[in-house]
């Protein structure tokens, strides 16, 4: 996965709690400044559910919220640590403050 | 029906059942700007049946098995199309050395991915009944076409009748391939035993290798001829794309299905 990967973004915004599709996209827009296309968002949700990294939460009418599973939380943490390590190394090489 | 609703209906049913309402809402909100993403998503989902929402891992494996059978049929049709004009691939220098292993890999792949009926009378009857219902028509029409081609060879040798026969032949091949896929699609875990993961991995890997090799040979032969053989080039390119799609299925299997 990469920082702008749809699956990583979805996992990231679900770390705060269960959300449904539209709310996930709104949270992603707040995080990175642009929304995912509907095909990309729901493709990422289907993949994450197939990998058992997210699961359905309680339904709210038409909306079907999802939440992180423990495996999803672990995968996200692993991914974010890996990204942080790369970011720190890159910033050090550039002479920028990695804070 | 609005465009976005029509596009959502093109997704596989299992996907629509799980994500359809939310996807429709988001597609409506995105407007026409969301259409390219929806189209890409539709192609993505049809190429990755292992990630469709499923009740069990066995159901996922059964879907991958159906994909394997479909890929075999597509590969056979494309390999046949590659030789539609000009010399058969097996007759070009070195062609036999590559194409016989390709055939072996294709048959090995099909044997490994094909779901087997459960060893019970109702299950075997259900599979055989479905096979007869779906394939009897193409087999009868095919036999009639072969008989007519032999009986009236002189009449069908050229002109409009020859073109008609040729179109009928290709139409029959496509219908037969679709029907063969429909025999195995959606049989259900009560009727067939979905192949184990190792069989699927080996089978899909074998089909990937067969498609890549056959496609490469068809491309090389099509490009090497004094006048480029367009059907061979197109079929070769499509076979290489098929190999790419099958390789993606191997990754899906690793990520989503385990024994």
């Amino acid at each position: 996965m990469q920082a702008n990967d749809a699956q990583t973004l979805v996992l990231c915004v679900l770390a705060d709690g269960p959300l449904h599709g539209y709310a996930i996209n709104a949270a992603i827009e707040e995080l990175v400044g642009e929304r995912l296309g509907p095909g990309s968002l729901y493709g990422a949700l289907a993949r994450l559910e197939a990998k058992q990294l997210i699961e359905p939460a309680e339904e709210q009418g038409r909306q079907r919220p999802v939440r992180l599973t423990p495996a999803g939380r672990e995968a996200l943490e692993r991914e974010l640590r890996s990204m942080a390590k790369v970011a720190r190394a890159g910033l050090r090489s550039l002479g920028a403050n990695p804070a | 029906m609005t465009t976005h609703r029509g596009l959502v209906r093109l997704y596989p049913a299992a996907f629509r059942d799980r994500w359809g309402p939310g996807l429709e809402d988001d597609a409506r909100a995105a407007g026409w700007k969301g259409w390219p993403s929806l189209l890409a998503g539709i192609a993505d989902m049809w190429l990755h049946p292992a990630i469709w929402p499923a009740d069990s891992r066995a159901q996922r494996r059964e879907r991958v098995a159906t994909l394997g059978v479909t890929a075999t049929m597509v590969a056979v049709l494309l390999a046949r199309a590659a030789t539609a004009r000009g010399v058969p691939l097996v007759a070009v220098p070195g062609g036999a050395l590559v194409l016989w292993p390709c055939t072996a890999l294709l048959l090995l792949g099909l044997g490994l991915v094909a779901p087997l009926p459960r060893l019970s009378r109702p299950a075997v009857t259900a599979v055989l009944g479905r096979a007869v219902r779906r394939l009897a028509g193409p087999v009868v029409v095919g036999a009639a076409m072969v008989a007519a081609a032999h009986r009236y060879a002189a009449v069908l040798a050229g002109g409009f009748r020859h073109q008609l026969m040729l179109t009928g032949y290709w139409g029959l091949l496509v219908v037969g391939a679709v029907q063969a896929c429909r025999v195995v699609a959606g049989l259900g875990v009560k009727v067939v035993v979905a192949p184990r993961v190792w069989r699927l991995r080996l089978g899909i890997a074998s089909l990937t290798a067969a498609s890549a090799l056959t496609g490469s040979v068809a491309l090389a032969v099509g490009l090497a001829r004094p006048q480029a053989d367009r059907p061979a080039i197109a079929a070769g390119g499509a076979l290489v794309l098929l190999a790419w799609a099958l390789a993606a299925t191997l990754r899906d299997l690793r990520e989503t299905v385990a024994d």
Side-chain angles (χ1 to χ4, degrees), chain B residues 106-144:
Chain B
L106 207 61
L107 290 175
L108 174 70
L110 181 63
L112 285 167
V113 300
L116 300 173
R118 290 189 181 277
L119 293 177
S120 70
R121 199 172 181 160
V124 173
T125 310
V127 174
L128 287 178
R130 189 188 255 224
V132 169
R133 278 196 304 278
R134 301 259 152 96
L135 294 173
V139 168
V140 169
V141 174

Side-chain angles (χ1 to χ4, degrees), chain B residues 229-244:
Chain B
D229 182 344
R230 284 182 189 161
I233 294 168
L239 276 162
V240 172
L241 284 176
L242 179 67
W244 170 76

Side-chain angles (χ1 to χ4, degrees), chain B residues 115-178:
Chain B
L116 300 173
R118 290 189 181 277
L119 293 177
S120 70
R121 199 172 181 160
V124 173
T125 310
V127 174
L128 287 178
R130 189 188 255 224
V132 169
R133 278 196 304 278
R134 301 259 152 96
L135 294 173
V139 168
V140 169
V141 174
M145 283 176 75
V146 170
H150 282 96
R151 179 86 171 76
Y152 306 107
V155 181
L156 297 170
F160 170 73
R161 290 193 187 95
H162 177 74
Q163 284 302 322
L164 197 67
M165 198 70 173
L166 206 61
T167 308
Y169 167 76
W170 277 103
L172 187 67
L173 282 186
V174 172
V175 170
V178 170

Side-chain angles (χ1 to χ4, degrees), chain B residues 46-61:
Chain B
W46 280 109
L47 286 172
H48 297 91
I51 63 167
W52 298 354
D55 297 329
S56 64
R57 286 175 174 171
Q59 194 181 30
R60 284 190 200 283
R61 298 204 308 269

